[in-house]
Amino acid sequence: MLDGMSYQKKNLTKRYNAKTPTQAIAALESAKTDLRNININPFEDNSKGEKVKDIVLKQIKEKKPKTKTKDNTHYKRSLELFYYNYIDPIIGHLRLEKVQRKHALQILGSLEDNTKSFKLILNVLMFKIFENEFRARRIDTNPFYELDYGTHKPKEGFDTRLNEPMEDVAKKLYKTTVTFNLSHRLLFMMSIMVARRIGELFQLKLPLSS
């Protein structure tokens, strides 16, 4: 038993090659470290199946642009940032079959203060992966099936937003960028200062000193 959780008797000789009491104690200490710090059950075969992190990042890397002439580097980078900010901390270390409905709801809950577009990115990244595995009968259910993304509040008219007090505009802009990592925030601020899209800045080849 560890931290109130009971585990069945295990053959330490078979799994850890522990043939003496000293080796057995060392094996148990190693197992306790894994259970407490990495949230992985060392008594299970953790080699089965790819982890969510590997699968999702591979899917992002292989995304093709809608047209052959269009560069989707920025789009894929945005998906990666979204993954690392909201998905990886909760299920990145798990195998697909270990992801449950509660995990999907936890991720959705972390997006509560974000726009509906952020919640739809979650659907774009996760639903198809799990649905394919479910249809292939490699997992029992798709935890991202029929999530409630809530209603989407349309933006106010351009004239209304244009006439907002400068202080309110500044607060909204800061709130938008506060969750970005440093490099993405700098690119965002540069795009505002030079009146260019972030995707255009990504395509710059010359050193900034030029």
Side-chain angles (χ1 to χ4, degrees), residues 8 10 24-25 74 76 125 128-129 150 155 157 167 176 178 196 201 204:
Q8 295 180 351
K10 304 295 176 183
I25 292 172
H74 172 59
K76 292 195 290 187
L125 279 179
K128 188 174 181 180
I129 291 174
K155 289 183 178 180
E167 183 178 349
T176 299
V178 73
R196 293 290 188 275
L201 295 178
L204 291 176

Side-chain angles (χ1 to χ4, degrees), residues 48-159:
K48 291 181 180 177
E50 293 181 278
K51 292 182 179 179
V52 170
K53 179 176 183 176
D54 299 327
I55 295 173
V56 175
L57 292 180
K58 181 180 178 182
Q59 289 277 337
I60 293 174
K61 184 178 180 180
E62 293 177 350
K63 278 191 177 296
K64 299 184 185 304
K66 293 182 179 179
T67 61
K68 291 183 179 180
T69 57
K70 190 172 183 181
D71 181 16
N72 67 342
T73 303
H74 172 59
Y75 175 62
K76 292 195 290 187
R77 179 58 178 155
S78 296
L79 291 179
E80 285 183 358
L81 290 171
F82 179 90
Y83 168 79
Y84 280 116
N85 282 332
Y86 299 105
I87 299 175
D88 188 64
I90 298 174
I91 63 172
H93 62 288
L94 297 175
R95 300 197 309 272
L96 287 187
E97 64 269 23
K98 293 294 184 181
V99 179
Q100 302 175 26
R101 184 76 170 180
K102 65 179 182 181
H103 295 124
L105 293 174
Q106 186 179 351
I107 296 171
L108 191 62
S110 70
L111 298 172
E112 191 64 35
D113 296 329
N114 290 290
T115 63
K116 186 181 180 184
S117 61
F118 262 45
K119 297 177 182 180
L120 291 178
I121 292 175
L122 174 63
N123 182 275
V124 168
L125 279 179
M126 307 309 298
F127 177 81
K128 188 174 181 180
I129 291 174
F130 281 86
E131 189 64 16
N132 288 341
E133 293 296 304
F134 170 67
R135 292 182 182 277
R137 298 185 178 180
R138 287 189 285 267
I139 58 176
D140 296 329
T141 184
N142 180 354
F144 290 88
Y145 183 70
E146 289 189 341
L147 289 181
D148 181 10
Y149 294 103
T151 56
H152 178 50
K153 183 180 178 182
K155 289 183 178 180
E156 296 176 336
F158 181 73
D159 290 342

Side-chain angles (χ1 to χ4, degrees), residues 12-31:
L12 297 178
T13 301
K14 182 179 180 181
R15 185 158 189 86
Y16 291 94
N17 195 32
K19 298 177 181 179
T20 67
T22 301
Q23 291 173 336
I25 292 172
L28 287 173
E29 288 301 320
S30 174

Side-chain angles (χ1 to χ4, degrees), residues 102 109 123 169 181-182 206:
K102 65 179 182 181
N123 182 275
V169 174
N181 67 16
L182 180 59
L206 295 174

